[in-house]
Amino acid sequence: MPTQAAKDRVLNFTEVALGYTEEDALLESARCLTCKKEECREGCPVDIDIPGFIKKIKARDYLGAVQKIKETSSLPAICGRVCPQESQCEQFCVRGKKGEAVSIGRLERFVSDYEREQGAVNTPEIAHPNGIKVAIVGTGPGGLTCAGELARLGYSVTMYEALHVAGGVLMYGIPEFRLPKDIVQADIDNVRKLGVDIQTNVIIGRTMMVDELFAMDYKAIFIGTGAGLPNFMGIPGENLNGVYSANEFLTRVNLMKGYLFPEYLTPVRIGKRVAILGAGNVAMDSARCAKRLGAEEVYIVYRRSEKEMPARAEEVDHAHEEGIHFRLLTQPIEIKGDENNWVKELICAQCELGEPDASGRRSPINIPGSEFSLPMDTVVVAIGQSPNPLIQTTTKGLATGKNGTIVADPDGRTTRPAIFAGGDIVTGAATVILAMGAGRKAAAAMDKYLQQAQVK
Ligand code: FAD
């Protein structure tokens, strides 16, 4: 996939990966062996007919290809960009056993971009309105997918979103240079075209309670409120000025357009030296944003080695190319401030790896006496997010699981009739495609529930 040169792209927020040309797509699709046993498809959480859509690309029927994908996935332009294909469909590609797997995600992106650029996006057929009201809480990929499916079935769908903009992490978390916001907006607009009403600036559990929604005659509710509650390390100094949670940092930069200051009035004080604590996708996004905001030295500080890093390999490679420094086997133990309580230094210990822990990864052990200090202006804590507890704590009868997730069965049924849930709020922080898959399954279960309730 052609990309912007690293030296240029660190100076802007426009998309890094430039996408396939038609010629690239035809060459890549020709590598697909159209295997009888469709192992790639088994690796896809939403069961896209991968050999089927690639066959259409080979025949230059790009719009047919995107329609094939849309049989089971409503957000292909997004998934083609951010899905971790290397650990899903592409991991099972037969080509990958002796060389490089077919680049399924890049082909998915090519056809969905083609469809949008040709202005050929069709609104799917909508069933006759059935007059039944349903509410969706949260407008991330889980909620959007669930809303789209229910609208197509003829339901009257209203979405409630706490922020002033719909899209969830796709809008407020993943940076523009990885996922352009006009692409996300186009998908949100498509959901609106199905007749879905999106109400922003409404916090369910504060502005309105779940039970008030039932009183407003919503017959079923889907909760897709995600995992937006930042985790902290619990080390001294985390409340100093200049310490951000990755969530706040990325929201300021992406949603509030901090990178366009002063055009947008969201200043983000970044300083010269920035430490990002953690090594997942969120950490890579934070590091690469910090670099683009003008930081001279950006460090990923991670207590394990590169092998254990949870971020996608492509994101790590891009971060390396952009000059991000990796301080591995390094455990932050304290953040120290100056006389005005602004971050001044990060105290760390060197680690070695011991036995594997519950996650299966070798656990880091601090080496006694190895402490050292790194001068720092800004620290971004990117060690994970937990589900927002607001709805669970204000709604009776919803069982909760580990870390405050909402307990739901594989079809999204919670412990309260008529309340369904899916995406990160059920699984904990996961992926876009899993949230979409959960939204789709829950829509089918809600339809079944509502039709049975009608019959009675
Ligand atoms: P979310 O996308 O979190 O959306 C939930 C929505 O609910 C939000 O808009 C929130 O404001 C709203 N909400 C919350 N509480 C309330 C309430 N009480 N009332 C009303 N609204 C509420 N996944 C990938 O597959 N690939 C990637 O490359 C990738 N990169 C990521 C980078 C970052 C920085 C982050 C944070 C995550 C990334 N993920 C990635 C994970 C992925 O984005 C999530 O798994 C996915 O967005 C979860 O979707 P969701 O619909 O469950 O929730």
Side-chain angles (χ1 to χ4, degrees):
M1 170 84 84
T3 56
Q4 276 194 71
K7 68 172 179 26
D8 299 329
R9 68 185 193 235
V10 293
L11 303 175
N12 67 56
F13 270 77
T14 50
E15 197 171 8
V16 167
L18 300 176
Y20 275 164
T21 59
E22 182 175 0
E23 195 187 353
D24 295 331
L26 288 170
L27 279 173
E28 190 59 21
S29 65
R31 294 181 62 236
C32 173
L33 301 171
T34 325
C35 309
K36 264 209 176 117
K37 190 166 183 295
E38 301 173 331
E39 291 186 39
C40 53
R41 191 170 175 170
E42 286 164 28
C44 173
V46 295
D47 190 33
I48 292 175
D49 179 356
I50 294 167
F53 97 76
I54 296 182
K55 208 164 149 190
K56 291 207 179 278
I57 298 180
K58 287 182 188 172
R60 297 175 189 247
D61 176 8
Y62 308 127
L63 295 178
V66 81
Q67 285 316 317
K68 189 63 53 213
I69 299 172
K70 284 186 174 176
E71 285 171 8
T72 59
S73 167
S74 49
L75 310 171
I78 294 170
C79 291
R81 286 174 165 79
V82 303
C83 256
Q85 290 99 4
E86 66 282 2
S87 57
Q88 297 177 343
C89 51
E90 292 176 12
Q91 191 187 5
F92 297 97
C93 173
V94 171
R95 281 276 189 197
K97 288 184 183 153
K98 285 197 180 147
E100 257 188 59
V102 174
S103 295
I104 299 166
R106 293 169 181 185
L107 291 172
E108 181 182 23
R109 169 186 164 147
F110 169 74
V111 291
S112 53
D113 285 357
Y114 179 89
E115 182 195 44
R116 202 182 52 261
E117 283 157 16
Q118 299 290 313
V121 181
N122 289 326
T123 308
E125 265 183 42
I126 305 172
H128 190 70
N130 60 21
I132 303 172
K133 283 175 66 178
V134 291
I136 311 284
V137 186
T139 59
L144 286 171
T145 306
C146 187
E149 294 287 321
L150 289 168
R152 278 158 69 163
L153 292 170
Y155 291 94
S156 163
V157 185
T158 307
M159 303 190 80
Y160 290 99
E161 167 57 49
L163 296 171
H164 64 286
V165 169
V169 171
L170 306 175
M171 276 295 191
Y172 80 75
I174 304 180
E176 180 78 25
F177 56 80
R178 247 182 1 103
L179 181 61
K181 300 309 153 211
D182 58 346
I183 287 171
V184 183
Q185 193 56 54
D187 277 327
I188 295 169
D189 292 344
N190 289 336
V191 172
R192 276 207 172 99
K193 280 184 199 148
L194 295 171
V196 172
D197 176 27
I198 304 180
Q199 298 282 331
T200 51
N201 294 314
V202 183
I203 306 174
I204 303 299
R206 281 284 180 276
T207 325
M208 260 196 291
M209 300 295 155
V210 164
D211 284 304
E212 286 179 74
L213 294 177
F214 283 120
M216 289 161 72
D217 210 26
Y218 291 107
K219 299 292 183 203
I221 298 172
F222 173 81
I223 301 172
T225 44
L229 186 70
N231 297 340
F232 282 92
M233 303 224 18
I235 58 175
E238 269 181 312
N239 55 357
L240 286 167
N241 297 320
V243 180
Y244 294 93
S245 70
N247 199 297
E248 180 194 345
F249 180 66
L250 291 172
T251 301
R252 279 173 182 257
V253 176
N254 299 313
L255 187 74
M256 312 295 291
K257 306 273 183 234
Y259 66 95
L260 294 177
F261 180 80
E263 192 185 327
Y264 283 76
L265 292 176
T266 312
V268 182
R269 182 189 182 274
I270 195 76
K272 287 186 179 165
R273 295 168 64 98
V274 181
I276 314 290
L277 314 187
N281 285 326
V282 181
M284 297 305 144
D285 284 343
S286 304
R288 298 172 69 199
C289 281
K291 188 82 186 175
R292 282 162 174 76
L293 288 173
E296 286 170 15
E297 291 173 35
V298 182
Y299 296 86
I300 288 280
V301 180
Y302 180 54
R303 57 195 186 140
R304 293 183 164 100
S305 73
E306 185 144 350
K307 196 167 150 239
E308 289 82 22
M309 292 198 307
R312 292 185 66 190
E314 186 178 75
E315 304 315 323
V316 176
D317 290 347
H318 282 163
H320 275 299
E321 287 167 14
E322 290 169 12
I324 307 296
H325 302 285
F326 284 70
R327 296 296 303 229
L328 303 174
L329 293 169
T330 301
Q331 170 83 51
I333 50 178
E334 185 177 355
I335 307 164
K336 286 195 168 163
D338 64 15
E339 60 286 0
N340 295 316
N341 289 325
W342 281 93
V343 171
K344 192 171 157 226
E345 55 181 325
L346 180 68
I347 312 294
C348 302
Q350 208 60 56
C351 303
E352 56 189 1
L353 292 180
E355 294 300 310
D357 62 13
S359 72
R361 294 172 301 171
R362 292 181 64 193
S363 47
I365 301 164
N366 290 4
I367 301 171
S370 66
E371 290 78 14
F372 62 97
S373 156
L374 294 168
M376 244 5 113
D377 300 304
T378 302
V379 173
V380 179
V381 184
I383 57 161
Q385 298 89 232
S386 303
N388 191 323
L390 210 48
I391 291 188
Q392 299 86 311
T393 51
T394 55
T395 313
K396 281 200 182 120
L398 273 186
T400 52
K402 208 174 153 219
N403 294 333
T405 51
I406 293 181
V407 173
D409 74 7
D411 291 324
R413 292 181 199 89
T414 68
T415 47
R416 234 186 98 168
I419 301 186
F420 296 76
D424 283 4
I425 190 70
V426 169
T427 54
T431 61
V432 171
I433 191 96
L434 286 173
M436 277 176 50
R440 201 158 177 264
K441 278 191 184 161
M446 287 167 84
D447 179 43
K448 199 169 161 197
Y449 165 81
L450 289 164
Q451 293 311 318
Q452 281 169 357
Q454 289 296 299
V455 169
K456 270 183 206 163

